[in-house]
Amino acid sequence: MINKVVASADAAIAGIEDGAVLMLGGFGLCGIPENCIAALLRKGVKNLTCISNNAGVDDYGIGLMLQKGQVKKMIASYVGENKEFERQLLSGELEVELLPQGTLAERIRAGGAGIPAFFTPAGVGTEVAEGKEVRAFHGKEYLMESWLKADYAIVKAWKGDTAGNLIFRGTARNFSPMMATAAKITIAEVEELVPAGTLDPNEIHTPGIYVKRIFQGSGYEKRIEQRTISKN
Amino acid sequence: MLDKHQIAKRIARELKDGMYVNLGIGIPTLVANYIPEGIEVVLQSENGLLGIGPFPTEGAVDADLINAGKQTVTMLPGASLFSSADSFAMIRGGHIDLTILGAMEVSEEGDIANWKIPDKMVKGMGGAMDLVASAENIIVAMQHVNKEGKSKLLKRCTLPVTGVRCVKKIVTEMAVLEIIPEGGFKLLEKAPGVTVEEIRRSTEGKLIFEGEVPEMQF
């Protein structure tokens, strides 16, 4: 069995140069690849295109890369709760493509699945439709959207094995399984790395074929954006 | 005039047993607190969860378990987890029975705007464009007028729209209204203490009403 294990986050992101197109898993701060983001900050690569549902918050996640001016373009669906992102967007410093969340997910899925384009109802009659083909099927209008691919996909999973198989936990799964399929090189950081053969094949979310590099992360903060508690 | 909790409570009366429901951020999230006795609905969160439970107790907070508003949540027995692609397949595929979301403006044609104020505020559309383009049944929870007292129920939306001809029903602090197919806000119910004349003055779009308009029941 091919061993995909690398020693650290810094080793995992080797080869990511200025101008790279990255996909980063996570919904808000849930399921973000914390260790690799820290390594990208250390490495200081610039002019990145980042494809991720959100852009973190001001002082965490991709928000930190925005603060350091490492991101040239962001492809996302929701940027609320991030003042620096909104400021860079409104001032024009940052190139931003905002997409309906389902369109973002499906474009990534299509990229990994070899489907160059598809039609979706989301965005018909809105700004999102500008410049895109609209076609009617069964009396309803749909927009053509194209696949998305990246140089690197960086995802975080709960468990992974040396063969690159991944299991996600809770809603930390979100965009990561599709992203893992849609890049030339997929990097996975996991909370627990085990030898191949340890995980139950029935439970695997992302088959190892998609993952090129894997390592066990450390010091996960798993910051919560909205800690909402019930009293009883 | 209703407060946001009363708006949520009124919307909760639209729920029917066995429905799969997506609740948007803000007032729609509060609807979960008022699900009527004897009615069971399954709440979907577009970040990949069916079967949202109550907020967790302090000891049960799990950073890996949030709703689309990024609030910590729990799962009810029978819950399931899935990817964002699966989640939106569920939405676009028409498997969600009811979508409840907030709005900045709604037009008498049923267009909705809730994601952007040019040059001032950009939140992004998140999942709203997918939801409004796909759902058969959309209820909007919103304020009837803005802080300056100007109507948000318009002939045409002034803000960039999220979807066209999609809203079916609206619940505001003043009224329950239905968008009729030929265009217009049909007044179904008025809030306690609010007159039809007040609602008419607060509605820029075409308001349609017949006979005595009943008062909202909770």
Side-chain angles (χ1 to χ4, degrees):
Chain A
M1 183 64 76
I2 308 156
N3 191 334
K4 299 181 174 181
V5 179
V6 293
S8 64
D10 297 293
I13 65 156
I16 299 184
E17 301 297 342
D18 290 357
V21 177
L22 310 182
M23 287 178 178
L24 296 122
F27 184 96
L29 299 178
C30 184
I32 62 170
E34 296 182 19
N35 284 228
C36 284
I37 290 172
L40 287 166
L41 288 163
R42 281 194 294 274
K43 186 168 181 170
V45 279
K46 290 192 291 289
N47 292 322
L48 300 171
T49 294
C50 291
I51 302 168
S52 190
N53 188 55
N54 313 77
V57 293
D58 283 311
D59 62 345
Y60 206 62
I62 297 174
L64 294 169
M65 290 162 65
L66 287 173
Q67 273 192 19
K68 278 189 73 182
Q70 292 177 269
V71 183
K72 180 187 71 174
K73 181 175 180 181
M74 208 52 234
I75 300 177
S77 90
Y78 190 81
V79 300
E81 290 92 49
N82 189 329
K83 288 267 179 302
E84 178 63 13
F85 186 113
E86 198 171 350
R87 190 194 66 72
Q88 289 191 17
L89 192 168
L90 291 170
S91 70
E93 286 165 52
L94 183 69
E95 210 181 314
V96 178
E97 187 177 345
L98 283 173
L99 295 170
Q101 198 171 117
T103 298
L104 179 62
E106 193 64 13
R107 287 182 67 183
I108 297 166
R109 197 193 73 80
I115 307 284
F118 58 92
F119 284 87
T120 174
V124 170
T126 75
E127 278 182 14
V128 170
E130 284 168 18
K132 291 175 186 163
E133 184 184 338
V134 176
R135 205 187 288 182
F137 295 91
H138 306 288
K140 184 172 169 175
E141 291 190 324
Y142 296 83
L143 277 188
M144 192 173 81
E145 294 281 3
S146 60
W147 62 12
L148 269 176
K149 295 183 183 211
D151 298 318
Y152 295 86
I154 306 174
V155 303
K156 185 245 157 194
W158 179 36
K159 292 178 182 175
D161 68 21
T162 51
N165 294 303
L166 304 177
I167 298 175
F168 300 93
R169 183 171 177 278
T171 53
R173 189 183 324 180
N174 53 68
F175 287 81
S176 297
M178 292 79 73
M179 288 179 172
T181 69
K184 287 178 205 144
I185 294 178
T186 292
I187 300 160
E189 56 174 89
V190 299
E191 288 179 56
E192 188 185 350
L193 182 63
V194 297
T198 312
L199 301 174
D200 180 351
N202 289 299
E203 308 283 322
I204 304 293
H205 295 130
T206 291
I209 188 170
Y210 298 115
V211 177
K212 293 279 189 297
R213 304 173 188 170
I214 191 165
F215 69 98
Q216 182 165 312
S218 60
Y220 283 105
E221 180 181 336
K222 293 199 182 184
R223 194 185 289 189
I224 292 170
E225 279 179 72
Q226 307 279 339
R227 177 180 286 271
T228 321
I229 306 290
S230 48
K231 287 176 200 83
N232 38 40
Chain B
M1 302 277 178
L2 306 185
D3 64 22
K4 60 184 185 177
H5 294 278
Q6 289 168 308
I7 293 175
K9 200 170 175 186
R10 174 60 191 81
I11 291 174
R13 289 191 55 228
E14 303 287 318
L15 301 172
K16 294 186 179 64
D17 199 34
M19 273 184 165
Y20 288 88
V21 183
N22 181 287
L23 301 178
I25 298 166
I27 297 175
T29 305
L30 299 174
V31 172
N33 300 337
Y34 300 104
I35 298 169
E37 195 87 8
I39 287 193
E40 202 179 322
V41 297
V42 180
L43 301 178
Q44 196 244 21
S45 195
E46 62 264 29
N47 56 323
L49 167 59
L50 259 179
I52 310 172
F55 295 132
T57 53
E58 187 67 52
V61 168
D62 182 345
D64 288 338
L65 209 57
I66 61 168
N67 64 18
K70 285 119 186 169
Q71 296 171 309
T72 45
V73 292
T74 57
M75 293 188 282
L76 292 176
S80 57
L81 295 157
F82 36 86
S83 74
S84 301
D86 285 333
S87 183
F88 283 93
M90 240 172 245
I91 289 165
R92 285 187 310 262
H95 306 283
I96 304 293
D97 300 305
L98 175 63
T99 291
I100 303 169
L101 74 175
M104 299 173 191
E105 294 177 349
V106 171
S107 82
E108 63 187 31
E109 307 283 341
D111 298 353
I112 177 171
N114 68 357
W115 71 283
K116 183 181 184 181
I117 302 173
D119 302 320
K120 277 194 194 151
M121 186 278 305
V122 187
K123 279 183 188 300
M125 61 290 282
M129 282 191 183
D130 311 88
L131 283 158
V132 301
S134 312
E136 284 296 310
N137 195 0
I138 297 174
I139 300 178
V140 168
M142 68 186 294
Q143 298 297 320
H144 213 105
V145 294
N146 66 15
K147 287 190 188 106
E148 289 83 51
K150 281 183 68 181
S151 179
K152 297 166 84 167
L153 275 58
L154 308 171
K155 285 190 195 311
R156 274 185 204 86
C157 290
T158 63
L159 298 171
V161 297
T162 310
V164 294
R165 293 178 177 274
C166 53
V167 176
K168 299 286 186 295
K169 208 173 237 186
I170 303 163
V171 180
T172 75
E173 74 278 22
M174 304 180 91
V176 180
L177 310 107
E178 183 184 35
I179 304 277
I180 58 170
E182 51 273 37
F185 299 98
K186 187 177 177 192
L187 181 56
L188 300 181
E189 298 170 21
K190 55 187 183 178
V194 177
T195 66
V196 171
E197 178 52 25
E198 284 171 312
I199 295 166
R200 199 190 57 75
R201 269 190 273 125
S202 301
T203 308
E204 190 222 77
K206 189 162 126 194
L207 186 75
I208 299 150
F209 54 93
E210 293 156 3
E212 192 63 26
V213 177
E215 193 165 285
M216 271 182 219
Q217 303 295 314
F218 294 94

